[in-house]
Amino acid sequence: MKIGDLSKKTGVSLRSLRYYEEQGLLQPERSENGYRLYSPFAVDQVRTIQLYLRLGLSTEQIAGFLHCVMKNKEAFCREIMPVYETKLREIDEQIASLTAIRSNLIERIEAIRGESASTKGEIP
Amino acid sequence: MKIGDLSKKTGVSLRSLRYYEEQGLLQPERSENGYRLYSPFAVDQVRTIQLYLRLGLSTEQIAGFLHCVMKNKEAFCREIMPVYETKLREIDEQIASLTAIRSNLIERIEAIRGESASTKGEIP
DNA sequence: GTTGACCTTCACATCAATGGTAGGGTTTAT
DNA sequence: ATAAACCCTACCATTGATGTGAAGGTCAAC
């Protein structure tokens, strides 16, 4: 299958498919004329890549375990657990940071509402 | 006060001070030799800029209300409320997105723990 | 009059995945 | 044989605040 076919089947752009290859996530054969040739299996592989990208993993992290995950279940790829744990910690940090900012914002919003209301004499 | 002084007083790098000027957040005078000259007031102003940056606002957004906020209390700057509200919505979206990813990650981590434990016969 | 500590502008690099484009080769259908 | 529809590589751009460095002007102290 050529790159355009794979793109249509997966909904992933040509640009991204070539990028995934550059990052070591795909290794298509090449035909005589230099065209990339993908096995039907590549459709699954690209979907799997996208799944992990949506989890916020980098192509580098994905490259570290994709090979294993395409052959086995996640539970049998020991490379994957530390990646998940690292990512989970990162996400918890990000959520904590955003939550703090959120509280700060809400405080400010309420302070403004309160002050501008009292300024307008709306709270006698 | 020259840029080095302002940098030391605020802990903000020269690079960032010049960037803030480029973004319209600071308008120092210039001495005859072309050096930036800041009023003592600029210290407060830079601290205020940093405060808003830490809230996740962009220099462009800050530029929209900084002038007002440096003279009045936030409650009197009508430009600020929509910015806060927009930012709050963004943050809520980000938290929601991260929370969804977090749940997905935790599910996967637990699935792996479960499977690898049962594989090892640790759960009889 | 020279050293060193300032200051200036300009410009490139960062991070990461993706979009876009230019310039050129191949294949397929008419 | 030509046009349409593919494919290739190799770039540059995006985002936004900041780091870094070159090339050079200014100034104070000695």
Side-chain angles (χ1 to χ4, degrees):
Chain A
M1 153 173 38
K2 286 186 293 184
I3 195 170
D5 303 321
L6 183 58
S7 173
K8 272 165 203 147
K9 284 188 189 174
T10 60
V12 173
S13 72
L14 305 184
R15 180 68 181 83
S16 293
L17 292 175
R18 296 193 185 110
Y19 177 69
Y20 297 162
E21 179 179 355
E22 196 182 305
Q23 300 301 305
L25 299 176
L26 294 174
Q27 294 90 23
E29 307 286 312
R30 295 289 182 134
S31 67
E32 276 186 9
N33 54 24
Y35 288 12
R36 289 167 179 84
L37 290 183
Y38 298 90
S39 86
F41 181 70
V43 176
D44 254 346
Q45 191 152 352
V46 171
R47 295 213 176 106
T48 302
I49 292 169
Q50 292 262 304
L51 182 153
Y52 288 120
L53 284 175
R54 277 192 299 269
L55 274 181
L57 303 185
S58 68
T59 55
E60 192 183 352
Q61 289 174 316
I62 298 170
F65 60 73
L66 183 63
H67 183 73
C68 178
V69 165
M70 292 312 293
K71 293 200 215 161
N72 312 283
K73 300 170 82 172
E74 285 190 348
F76 295 101
C77 301
R78 65 193 189 299
E79 302 95 333
I80 209 169
M81 198 61 164
V83 174
Y84 277 176
E85 284 167 344
T86 299
K87 190 70 199 175
L88 183 56
R89 276 191 299 271
E90 280 176 24
I91 290 192
D92 282 342
E93 278 167 24
Q94 287 170 18
I95 290 177
S97 164
L98 286 172
T99 302
I101 291 177
R102 185 178 193 280
S103 304
N104 194 334
L105 267 178
I106 287 180
E107 263 178 46
R108 286 169 179 273
I109 288 174
E110 290 184 350
I112 293 177
R113 290 220 171 102
E115 282 204 53
S116 83
S118 65
T119 294
K120 289 182 201 160
E122 287 171 13
I123 295 182
Chain B
M1 165 172 29
K2 286 186 293 185
I3 194 168
D5 303 322
L6 183 57
S7 173
K8 272 163 204 151
K9 285 188 189 176
T10 59
V12 174
S13 71
L14 306 182
R15 179 68 178 85
S16 293
L17 292 175
R18 297 193 184 110
Y19 178 69
Y20 297 162
E21 178 179 355
E22 195 182 305
Q23 300 301 304
L25 299 177
L26 295 174
Q27 294 92 22
E29 306 286 312
R30 295 289 181 134
S31 67
E32 276 187 7
N33 55 23
Y35 289 11
R36 287 167 178 83
L37 290 182
Y38 298 90
S39 86
F41 181 69
V43 176
D44 254 346
Q45 190 152 349
V46 170
R47 295 213 176 103
T48 303
I49 292 169
Q50 292 261 305
L51 182 153
Y52 289 121
L53 284 175
R54 278 193 299 270
L55 276 181
L57 303 185
S58 67
T59 54
E60 191 183 352
Q61 289 174 317
I62 297 171
F65 60 73
L66 183 64
H67 183 73
C68 178
V69 165
M70 293 311 294
K71 294 201 215 157
N72 311 283
K73 300 169 81 169
E74 285 190 346
F76 296 99
C77 300
R78 63 191 189 300
E79 304 94 332
I80 210 170
M81 198 61 163
V83 174
Y84 277 174
E85 284 166 343
T86 298
K87 190 69 200 175
L88 183 57
R89 275 191 298 272
E90 280 174 24
I91 290 191
D92 282 343
E93 278 167 23
Q94 288 169 19
I95 290 177
S97 164
L98 286 172
T99 302
I101 291 177
R102 185 179 193 280
S103 304
N104 195 335
L105 265 178
I106 287 182
E107 265 180 44
R108 285 168 180 274
I109 288 175
E110 290 184 351
I112 293 177
R113 291 219 172 103
E115 281 204 54
S116 83
S118 63
T119 294
K120 290 182 200 160
E122 286 170 15
I123 295 182

